[in-house]
Amino acid sequence: MIGYPLDNVYEEVAFLAYHLHWDYETIINMEHNERKQWCEEVSKINKKMNSNKTKSLLDV
């Protein structure tokens, strides 16, 4: 039986705890798909924010 890689679980928990300041119990008790969806949503926000950093103030 092949399960979800433990390294990925650690990475997702650390990612959400760092960005959303949620406690370990909240994150680890999520279903895998829900945790993964939250990671994707935070990643989208990060990408959007980082893409805006390259714009000049004159690009308004």
Side-chain angles (χ1 to χ4, degrees), residues 4-59:
Y4 192 69
L6 192 55
D7 287 346
N8 290 17
V9 173
Y10 287 136
E11 185 177 36
E12 291 170 2
V13 170
F15 185 81
L16 293 176
Y18 177 80
H19 287 285
L20 301 177
H21 307 279
W22 291 348
D23 64 272
Y24 173 79
E25 292 298 325
T26 299
I27 300 168
I28 201 68
N29 286 324
M30 288 179 185
E31 291 292 326
H32 167 68
N33 287 337
E34 181 181 11
R35 192 172 53 242
K36 187 175 176 183
Q37 183 64 42
W38 278 111
C39 288
E40 290 172 5
E41 294 301 323
V42 171
S43 290
K44 286 180 197 173
I45 293 168
N46 284 338
K47 287 177 186 171
K48 187 174 183 178
M49 290 178 66
N50 288 332
S51 70
N52 287 337
K53 285 182 181 177
T54 59
K55 291 183 179 177
S56 165
L57 293 174
L58 301 175
D59 291 339

